[in-house]
PDB file of all heavy atoms in Angstrom:
ATOM      1  N   PHE A  44     -14.479 -13.845  10.835  1.00  0.00           N
ATOM      2  CA  PHE A  44     -14.491 -12.458  11.351  1.00  0.00           C
ATOM      3  C   PHE A  44     -13.591 -12.481  12.557  1.00  0.00           C
ATOM      4  O   PHE A  44     -13.751 -13.165  13.468  1.00  0.00           O
ATOM      5  CB  PHE A  44     -15.977 -12.126  11.786  1.00  0.00           C
ATOM      6  CG  PHE A  44     -16.111 -10.852  12.360  1.00  0.00           C
ATOM      7  CD1 PHE A  44     -16.561  -9.754  11.654  1.00  0.00           C
ATOM      8  CD2 PHE A  44     -16.096 -10.646  13.776  1.00  0.00           C
ATOM      9  CE1 PHE A  44     -16.772  -8.551  12.197  1.00  0.00           C
ATOM     10  CE2 PHE A  44     -16.207  -9.346  14.311  1.00  0.00           C
ATOM     11  CZ  PHE A  44     -16.549  -8.432  13.565  1.00  0.00           C
ATOM     12  N   ILE A  45     -12.568 -11.520  12.574  1.00  0.00           N
ATOM     13  CA  ILE A  45     -11.556 -11.592  13.596  1.00  0.00           C
ATOM     14  C   ILE A  45     -11.392 -10.070  14.168  1.00  0.00           C
ATOM     15  O   ILE A  45     -11.201  -9.152  13.284  1.00  0.00           O
ATOM     16  CB  ILE A  45     -10.199 -12.019  13.105  1.00  0.00           C
ATOM     17  CG1 ILE A  45     -10.290 -13.351  12.495  1.00  0.00           C
ATOM     18  CG2 ILE A  45      -9.055 -11.871  14.185  1.00  0.00           C
ATOM     19  CD1 ILE A  45      -9.135 -13.772  11.715  1.00  0.00           C
ATOM     20  N   ILE A  46     -11.464  -9.941  15.386  1.00  0.00           N
ATOM     21  CA  ILE A  46     -11.086  -8.678  16.118  1.00  0.00           C
ATOM     22  C   ILE A  46      -9.725  -8.881  16.601  1.00  0.00           C
ATOM     23  O   ILE A  46      -9.495  -9.673  17.641  1.00  0.00           O
ATOM     24  CB  ILE A  46     -12.152  -8.273  17.209  1.00  0.00           C
ATOM     25  CG1 ILE A  46     -13.449  -8.069  16.536  1.00  0.00           C
ATOM     26  CG2 ILE A  46     -11.551  -6.975  17.866  1.00  0.00           C
ATOM     27  CD1 ILE A  46     -14.555  -7.726  17.591  1.00  0.00           C
ATOM     28  N   ASP A  47      -8.804  -8.254  16.022  1.00  0.00           N
ATOM     29  CA  ASP A  47      -7.354  -8.315  16.486  1.00  0.00           C
ATOM     30  C   ASP A  47      -6.983  -7.168  17.371  1.00  0.00           C
ATOM     31  O   ASP A  47      -6.903  -6.032  16.917  1.00  0.00           O
ATOM     32  CB  ASP A  47      -6.513  -8.320  15.217  1.00  0.00           C
ATOM     33  CG  ASP A  47      -5.085  -8.897  15.502  1.00  0.00           C
ATOM     34  OD1 ASP A  47      -4.759  -9.329  16.644  1.00  0.00           O
ATOM     35  OD2 ASP A  47      -4.321  -8.966  14.476  1.00  0.00           O
ATOM     36  N   SER A  48      -6.800  -7.427  18.664  1.00  0.00           N
ATOM     37  CA  SER A  48      -6.720  -6.367  19.641  1.00  0.00           C
ATOM     38  C   SER A  48      -5.543  -6.768  20.643  1.00  0.00           C
ATOM     39  O   SER A  48      -5.322  -8.009  20.763  1.00  0.00           O
ATOM     40  CB  SER A  48      -8.046  -6.268  20.362  1.00  0.00           C
ATOM     41  OG  SER A  48      -7.918  -5.404  21.471  1.00  0.00           O
ATOM     42  N   SER A  49      -4.886  -5.778  21.157  1.00  0.00           N
ATOM     43  CA  SER A  49      -3.932  -6.075  22.115  1.00  0.00           C
ATOM     44  C   SER A  49      -4.603  -6.443  23.508  1.00  0.00           C
ATOM     45  O   SER A  49      -5.743  -6.077  23.808  1.00  0.00           O
ATOM     46  CB  SER A  49      -2.940  -4.950  22.399  1.00  0.00           C
ATOM     47  OG  SER A  49      -3.574  -3.897  23.161  1.00  0.00           O
ATOM     48  N   PRO A  50      -4.004  -7.325  24.284  1.00  0.00           N
ATOM     49  CA  PRO A  50      -4.568  -7.632  25.565  1.00  0.00           C
ATOM     50  C   PRO A  50      -4.850  -6.423  26.418  1.00  0.00           C
ATOM     51  O   PRO A  50      -3.888  -5.399  26.343  1.00  0.00           O
ATOM     52  CB  PRO A  50      -3.702  -8.610  26.206  1.00  0.00           C
ATOM     53  CG  PRO A  50      -2.789  -9.148  25.124  1.00  0.00           C
ATOM     54  CD  PRO A  50      -2.644  -8.065  24.017  1.00  0.00           C
ATOM     55  N   THR A  51      -5.823  -6.271  27.209  1.00  0.00           N
ATOM     56  CA  THR A  51      -6.181  -5.095  27.992  1.00  0.00           C
ATOM     57  C   THR A  51      -5.196  -4.901  29.117  1.00  0.00           C
ATOM     58  O   THR A  51      -4.969  -3.832  29.630  1.00  0.00           O
ATOM     59  CB  THR A  51      -7.545  -5.077  28.446  1.00  0.00           C
ATOM     60  OG1 THR A  51      -7.760  -6.254  29.255  1.00  0.00           O
ATOM     61  CG2 THR A  51      -8.525  -4.957  27.294  1.00  0.00           C
ATOM     62  N   ASP A  52      -4.559  -5.961  29.592  1.00  0.00           N
ATOM     63  CA  ASP A  52      -3.524  -5.882  30.737  1.00  0.00           C
ATOM     64  C   ASP A  52      -2.057  -5.650  30.283  1.00  0.00           C
ATOM     65  O   ASP A  52      -1.242  -5.776  31.078  1.00  0.00           O
ATOM     66  CB  ASP A  52      -3.614  -7.118  31.590  1.00  0.00           C
ATOM     67  CG  ASP A  52      -3.183  -8.328  30.841  1.00  0.00           C
ATOM     68  OD1 ASP A  52      -3.239  -8.378  29.466  1.00  0.00           O
ATOM     69  OD2 ASP A  52      -2.960  -9.400  31.456  1.00  0.00           O
ATOM     70  N   LYS A  53      -1.933  -5.292  29.026  1.00  0.00           N
ATOM     71  CA  LYS A  53      -0.534  -5.162  28.463  1.00  0.00           C
ATOM     72  C   LYS A  53      -0.327  -3.603  28.160  1.00  0.00           C
ATOM     73  O   LYS A  53      -0.521  -3.169  27.041  1.00  0.00           O
ATOM     74  CB  LYS A  53      -0.303  -5.924  27.170  1.00  0.00           C
ATOM     75  CG  LYS A  53      -0.360  -7.388  27.468  1.00  0.00           C
ATOM     76  CD  LYS A  53       0.779  -7.882  28.132  1.00  0.00           C
ATOM     77  CE  LYS A  53       0.613  -9.417  28.143  1.00  0.00           C
ATOM     78  NZ  LYS A  53       1.765 -10.041  28.876  1.00  0.00           N
ATOM     79  N   SER A  54       0.080  -2.782  29.134  1.00  0.00           N
ATOM     80  CA  SER A  54       0.292  -1.429  28.974  1.00  0.00           C
ATOM     81  C   SER A  54       1.469  -1.120  28.053  1.00  0.00           C
ATOM     82  O   SER A  54       1.635  -0.020  27.492  1.00  0.00           O
ATOM     83  CB  SER A  54       0.525  -0.677  30.272  1.00  0.00           C
ATOM     84  OG  SER A  54       1.512  -1.214  30.949  1.00  0.00           O
ATOM     85  N   ASP A  55       2.334  -2.164  27.836  1.00  0.00           N
ATOM     86  CA  ASP A  55       3.547  -1.942  27.077  1.00  0.00           C
ATOM     87  C   ASP A  55       3.276  -2.078  25.526  1.00  0.00           C
ATOM     88  O   ASP A  55       4.115  -1.916  24.694  1.00  0.00           O
ATOM     89  CB  ASP A  55       4.580  -2.907  27.468  1.00  0.00           C
ATOM     90  CG  ASP A  55       4.245  -4.442  27.228  1.00  0.00           C
ATOM     91  OD1 ASP A  55       3.077  -4.741  27.317  1.00  0.00           O
ATOM     92  OD2 ASP A  55       5.126  -5.241  27.143  1.00  0.00           O
ATOM     93  N   GLN A  56       2.019  -2.366  25.180  1.00  0.00           N
ATOM     94  CA  GLN A  56       1.671  -2.532  23.768  1.00  0.00           C
ATOM     95  C   GLN A  56       0.896  -1.280  23.293  1.00  0.00           C
ATOM     96  O   GLN A  56       0.000  -1.464  22.414  1.00  0.00           O
ATOM     97  CB  GLN A  56       0.922  -3.786  23.630  1.00  0.00           C
ATOM     98  CG  GLN A  56       1.763  -5.009  23.788  1.00  0.00           C
ATOM     99  CD  GLN A  56       1.081  -6.284  23.274  1.00  0.00           C
ATOM    100  OE1 GLN A  56       0.235  -6.220  22.353  1.00  0.00           O
ATOM    101  NE2 GLN A  56       1.615  -7.443  23.750  1.00  0.00           N
ATOM    102  N   ARG A  57       1.184  -0.071  23.747  1.00  0.00           N
ATOM    103  CA  ARG A  57       0.455   1.066  23.220  1.00  0.00           C
ATOM    104  C   ARG A  57       0.680   1.462  21.877  1.00  0.00           C
ATOM    105  O   ARG A  57      -0.129   2.096  21.204  1.00  0.00           O
ATOM    106  CB  ARG A  57       0.929   2.269  24.137  1.00  0.00           C
ATOM    107  CG  ARG A  57       0.780   2.159  25.633  1.00  0.00           C
ATOM    108  CD  ARG A  57      -0.572   1.911  26.128  1.00  0.00           C
ATOM    109  NE  ARG A  57      -1.572   2.639  25.421  1.00  0.00           N
ATOM    110  CZ  ARG A  57      -2.876   2.286  25.453  1.00  0.00           C
ATOM    111  NH1 ARG A  57      -3.309   1.262  25.972  1.00  0.00           N
ATOM    112  NH2 ARG A  57      -3.782   3.073  24.852  1.00  0.00           N
ATOM    113  N   ASN A  58       1.678   0.851  21.165  1.00  0.00           N
ATOM    114  CA  ASN A  58       1.904   1.089  19.768  1.00  0.00           C
ATOM    115  C   ASN A  58       1.027   0.256  18.849  1.00  0.00           C
ATOM    116  O   ASN A  58       0.973   0.443  17.688  1.00  0.00           O
ATOM    117  CB  ASN A  58       3.330   0.891  19.373  1.00  0.00           C
ATOM    118  CG  ASN A  58       3.806  -0.499  19.679  1.00  0.00           C
ATOM    119  OD1 ASN A  58       3.323  -1.281  20.484  1.00  0.00           O
ATOM    120  ND2 ASN A  58       4.758  -0.980  18.966  1.00  0.00           N
ATOM    121  N   TYR A  59       0.374  -0.748  19.438  1.00  0.00           N
ATOM    122  CA  TYR A  59      -0.519  -1.691  18.719  1.00  0.00           C
ATOM    123  C   TYR A  59      -1.771  -0.988  18.224  1.00  0.00           C
ATOM    124  O   TYR A  59      -2.370  -0.079  19.042  1.00  0.00           O
ATOM    125  CB  TYR A  59      -0.798  -2.863  19.388  1.00  0.00           C
ATOM    126  CG  TYR A  59      -1.569  -3.962  18.528  1.00  0.00           C
ATOM    127  CD1 TYR A  59      -0.714  -4.758  17.731  1.00  0.00           C
ATOM    128  CD2 TYR A  59      -2.879  -4.041  18.448  1.00  0.00           C
ATOM    129  CE1 TYR A  59      -1.220  -5.670  16.961  1.00  0.00           C
ATOM    130  CE2 TYR A  59      -3.443  -5.091  17.660  1.00  0.00           C
ATOM    131  CZ  TYR A  59      -2.609  -5.951  16.877  1.00  0.00           C
ATOM    132  OH  TYR A  59      -3.136  -6.777  15.982  1.00  0.00           O
ATOM    133  N   HIS A  60      -2.357  -1.175  17.059  1.00  0.00           N
ATOM    134  CA  HIS A  60      -3.617  -0.538  16.652  1.00  0.00           C
ATOM    135  C   HIS A  60      -4.653  -1.601  16.289  1.00  0.00           C
ATOM    136  O   HIS A  60      -4.459  -2.408  15.362  1.00  0.00           O
ATOM    137  CB  HIS A  60      -3.251   0.328  15.345  1.00  0.00           C
ATOM    138  CG  HIS A  60      -4.461   1.193  15.043  1.00  0.00           C
ATOM    139  ND1 HIS A  60      -4.266   2.598  15.175  1.00  0.00           N
ATOM    140  CD2 HIS A  60      -5.595   1.041  14.460  1.00  0.00           C
ATOM    141  CE1 HIS A  60      -5.389   3.091  14.756  1.00  0.00           C
ATOM    142  NE2 HIS A  60      -6.207   2.176  14.320  1.00  0.00           N
ATOM    143  N   TRP A  61      -5.625  -1.733  17.125  1.00  0.00           N
ATOM    144  CA  TRP A  61      -6.579  -2.887  16.886  1.00  0.00           C
ATOM    145  C   TRP A  61      -7.264  -2.651  15.487  1.00  0.00           C
ATOM    146  O   TRP A  61      -7.392  -1.645  15.038  1.00  0.00           O
ATOM    147  CB  TRP A  61      -7.623  -2.893  18.043  1.00  0.00           C
ATOM    148  CG  TRP A  61      -8.718  -1.970  18.004  1.00  0.00           C
ATOM    149  CD1 TRP A  61      -8.741  -0.732  18.603  1.00  0.00           C
ATOM    150  CD2 TRP A  61      -9.944  -2.141  17.362  1.00  0.00           C
ATOM    151  NE1 TRP A  61      -9.929  -0.091  18.354  1.00  0.00           N
ATOM    152  CE2 TRP A  61     -10.674  -1.016  17.545  1.00  0.00           C
ATOM    153  CE3 TRP A  61     -10.515  -3.158  16.478  1.00  0.00           C
ATOM    154  CZ2 TRP A  61     -12.006  -0.811  17.059  1.00  0.00           C
ATOM    155  CZ3 TRP A  61     -11.772  -2.939  16.035  1.00  0.00           C
ATOM    156  CH2 TRP A  61     -12.480  -1.790  16.340  1.00  0.00           C
ATOM    157  N   HIS A  62      -7.787  -3.772  14.990  1.00  0.00           N
ATOM    158  CA  HIS A  62      -8.511  -3.760  13.798  1.00  0.00           C
ATOM    159  C   HIS A  62      -9.438  -4.935  13.544  1.00  0.00           C
ATOM    160  O   HIS A  62      -9.347  -5.877  14.379  1.00  0.00           O
ATOM    161  CB  HIS A  62      -7.555  -3.715  12.582  1.00  0.00           C
ATOM    162  CG  HIS A  62      -6.510  -4.840  12.599  1.00  0.00           C
ATOM    163  ND1 HIS A  62      -5.303  -4.800  13.292  1.00  0.00           N
ATOM    164  CD2 HIS A  62      -6.599  -5.937  11.938  1.00  0.00           C
ATOM    165  CE1 HIS A  62      -4.761  -6.015  13.149  1.00  0.00           C
ATOM    166  NE2 HIS A  62      -5.487  -6.685  12.159  1.00  0.00           N
ATOM    167  N   ILE A  63     -10.266  -4.958  12.656  1.00  0.00           N
ATOM    168  CA  ILE A  63     -11.184  -6.049  12.367  1.00  0.00           C
ATOM    169  C   ILE A  63     -10.705  -6.665  10.961  1.00  0.00           C
ATOM    170  O   ILE A  63     -10.482  -5.900  10.002  1.00  0.00           O
ATOM    171  CB  ILE A  63     -12.653  -5.627  12.140  1.00  0.00           C
ATOM    172  CG1 ILE A  63     -13.168  -5.173  13.593  1.00  0.00           C
ATOM    173  CG2 ILE A  63     -13.425  -6.770  11.693  1.00  0.00           C
ATOM    174  CD1 ILE A  63     -14.509  -4.666  13.589  1.00  0.00           C
ATOM    175  N   GLU A  64     -10.572  -7.997  10.957  1.00  0.00           N
ATOM    176  CA  GLU A  64     -10.335  -8.651   9.580  1.00  0.00           C
ATOM    177  C   GLU A  64     -11.608  -9.497   9.291  1.00  0.00           C
ATOM    178  O   GLU A  64     -12.186 -10.127  10.106  1.00  0.00           O
ATOM    179  CB  GLU A  64      -9.132  -9.588   9.746  1.00  0.00           C
ATOM    180  CG  GLU A  64      -7.864  -8.803  10.160  1.00  0.00           C
ATOM    181  CD  GLU A  64      -6.705  -9.818  10.319  1.00  0.00           C
ATOM    182  OE1 GLU A  64      -6.627 -10.843   9.673  1.00  0.00           O
ATOM    183  OE2 GLU A  64      -5.899  -9.525  11.254  1.00  0.00           O
ATOM    184  N   ILE A  65     -11.889  -9.424   7.945  1.00  0.00           N
ATOM    185  CA  ILE A  65     -13.030 -10.294   7.501  1.00  0.00           C
ATOM    186  C   ILE A  65     -12.436 -11.002   6.329  1.00  0.00           C
ATOM    187  O   ILE A  65     -11.969 -10.474   5.360  1.00  0.00           O
ATOM    188  CB  ILE A  65     -14.181  -9.372   6.959  1.00  0.00           C
ATOM    189  CG1 ILE A  65     -14.675  -8.396   8.106  1.00  0.00           C
ATOM    190  CG2 ILE A  65     -15.308 -10.197   6.417  1.00  0.00           C
ATOM    191  CD1 ILE A  65     -15.601  -7.384   7.706  1.00  0.00           C
ATOM    192  N   LEU A  66     -12.473 -12.344   6.490  1.00  0.00           N
ATOM    193  CA  LEU A  66     -11.832 -13.229   5.539  1.00  0.00           C
ATOM    194  C   LEU A  66     -12.874 -14.187   4.759  1.00  0.00           C
ATOM    195  O   LEU A  66     -13.364 -15.106   5.341  1.00  0.00           O
ATOM    196  CB  LEU A  66     -10.836 -14.134   6.221  1.00  0.00           C
ATOM    197  CG  LEU A  66      -9.781 -13.341   7.020  1.00  0.00           C
ATOM    198  CD1 LEU A  66      -9.062 -14.425   7.948  1.00  0.00           C
ATOM    199  CD2 LEU A  66      -8.760 -12.594   6.145  1.00  0.00           C
ATOM    200  N   PRO A  67     -13.297 -13.759   3.625  1.00  0.00           N
ATOM    201  CA  PRO A  67     -14.233 -14.488   2.873  1.00  0.00           C
ATOM    202  C   PRO A  67     -13.682 -15.926   2.598  1.00  0.00           C
ATOM    203  O   PRO A  67     -12.489 -15.986   2.174  1.00  0.00           O
ATOM    204  CB  PRO A  67     -14.498 -13.849   1.595  1.00  0.00           C
ATOM    205  CG  PRO A  67     -13.862 -12.401   1.788  1.00  0.00           C
ATOM    206  CD  PRO A  67     -12.897 -12.537   2.856  1.00  0.00           C
ATOM    207  N   ARG A  68     -14.480 -16.963   2.658  1.00  0.00           N
ATOM    208  CA  ARG A  68     -14.154 -18.266   2.314  1.00  0.00           C
ATOM    209  C   ARG A  68     -14.677 -18.691   1.047  1.00  0.00           C
ATOM    210  O   ARG A  68     -15.946 -18.951   0.979  1.00  0.00           O
ATOM    211  CB  ARG A  68     -14.445 -19.188   3.496  1.00  0.00           C
ATOM    212  CG  ARG A  68     -13.724 -18.890   4.723  1.00  0.00           C
ATOM    213  CD  ARG A  68     -12.302 -19.229   4.560  1.00  0.00           C
ATOM    214  NE  ARG A  68     -11.563 -18.655   5.686  1.00  0.00           N
ATOM    215  CZ  ARG A  68     -10.252 -18.492   5.695  1.00  0.00           C
ATOM    216  NH1 ARG A  68      -9.534 -18.745   4.621  1.00  0.00           N
ATOM    217  NH2 ARG A  68      -9.685 -18.034   6.680  1.00  0.00           N
ATOM    218  N   LEU A  69     -14.071 -18.570  -0.097  1.00  0.00           N
ATOM    219  CA  LEU A  69     -14.687 -18.777  -1.356  1.00  0.00           C
ATOM    220  C   LEU A  69     -14.525 -20.250  -1.878  1.00  0.00           C
ATOM    221  O   LEU A  69     -15.203 -20.595  -2.803  1.00  0.00           O
ATOM    222  CB  LEU A  69     -14.051 -17.896  -2.380  1.00  0.00           C
ATOM    223  CG  LEU A  69     -14.149 -16.307  -2.017  1.00  0.00           C
ATOM    224  CD1 LEU A  69     -13.440 -15.483  -2.962  1.00  0.00           C
ATOM    225  CD2 LEU A  69     -15.625 -15.910  -1.825  1.00  0.00           C
ATOM    226  N   THR A  70     -13.652 -20.888  -1.213  1.00  0.00           N
ATOM    227  CA  THR A  70     -13.364 -22.315  -1.720  1.00  0.00           C
ATOM    228  C   THR A  70     -13.795 -23.436  -0.683  1.00  0.00           C
ATOM    229  O   THR A  70     -14.067 -24.524  -1.029  1.00  0.00           O
ATOM    230  CB  THR A  70     -11.977 -22.617  -2.146  1.00  0.00           C
ATOM    231  OG1 THR A  70     -11.155 -22.288  -1.009  1.00  0.00           O
ATOM    232  CG2 THR A  70     -11.567 -21.733  -3.344  1.00  0.00           C
ATOM    233  N   THR A  71     -13.798 -22.968   0.621  1.00  0.00           N
ATOM    234  CA  THR A  71     -14.191 -23.924   1.624  1.00  0.00           C
ATOM    235  C   THR A  71     -15.183 -23.337   2.554  1.00  0.00           C
ATOM    236  O   THR A  71     -15.224 -22.124   2.553  1.00  0.00           O
ATOM    237  CB  THR A  71     -13.027 -24.487   2.424  1.00  0.00           C
ATOM    238  OG1 THR A  71     -12.374 -23.281   3.015  1.00  0.00           O
ATOM    239  CG2 THR A  71     -11.969 -25.185   1.613  1.00  0.00           C
ATOM    240  N   ARG A  72     -15.973 -24.024   3.277  1.00  0.00           N
ATOM    241  CA  ARG A  72     -16.714 -23.461   4.198  1.00  0.00           C
ATOM    242  C   ARG A  72     -16.059 -22.835   5.470  1.00  0.00           C
ATOM    243  O   ARG A  72     -15.073 -23.318   5.862  1.00  0.00           O
ATOM    244  CB  ARG A  72     -17.756 -24.594   4.773  1.00  0.00           C
ATOM    245  CG  ARG A  72     -18.618 -25.193   3.693  1.00  0.00           C
ATOM    246  CD  ARG A  72     -19.889 -25.881   4.098  1.00  0.00           C
ATOM    247  NE  ARG A  72     -20.764 -25.315   4.993  1.00  0.00           N
ATOM    248  CZ  ARG A  72     -21.688 -24.378   4.483  1.00  0.00           C
ATOM    249  NH1 ARG A  72     -21.764 -24.054   3.306  1.00  0.00           N
ATOM    250  NH2 ARG A  72     -22.523 -23.753   5.347  1.00  0.00           N
ATOM    251  N   ALA A  73     -16.646 -21.760   5.960  1.00  0.00           N
ATOM    252  CA  ALA A  73     -15.995 -21.093   7.060  1.00  0.00           C
ATOM    253  C   ALA A  73     -16.214 -21.832   8.343  1.00  0.00           C
ATOM    254  O   ALA A  73     -17.166 -22.506   8.443  1.00  0.00           O
ATOM    255  CB  ALA A  73     -16.493 -19.597   7.169  1.00  0.00           C
TER     256      ALA A  73
END
Side-chain angles (χ1 to χ4, degrees):
F44 177 92
I45 302 163
I46 297 177
D47 197 359
S48 175
S49 74
T51 56
D52 62 344
K53 299 284 185 182
S54 60
D55 61 334
Q56 295 195 19
R57 302 305 315 159
N58 61 337
Y59 194 81
H60 193 106
W61 80 268
H62 58 277
I63 294 175
E64 296 177 38
I65 303 167
L66 306 167
R68 298 293 170 197
L69 303 176
T70 58
T71 59
R72 297 196 59 80

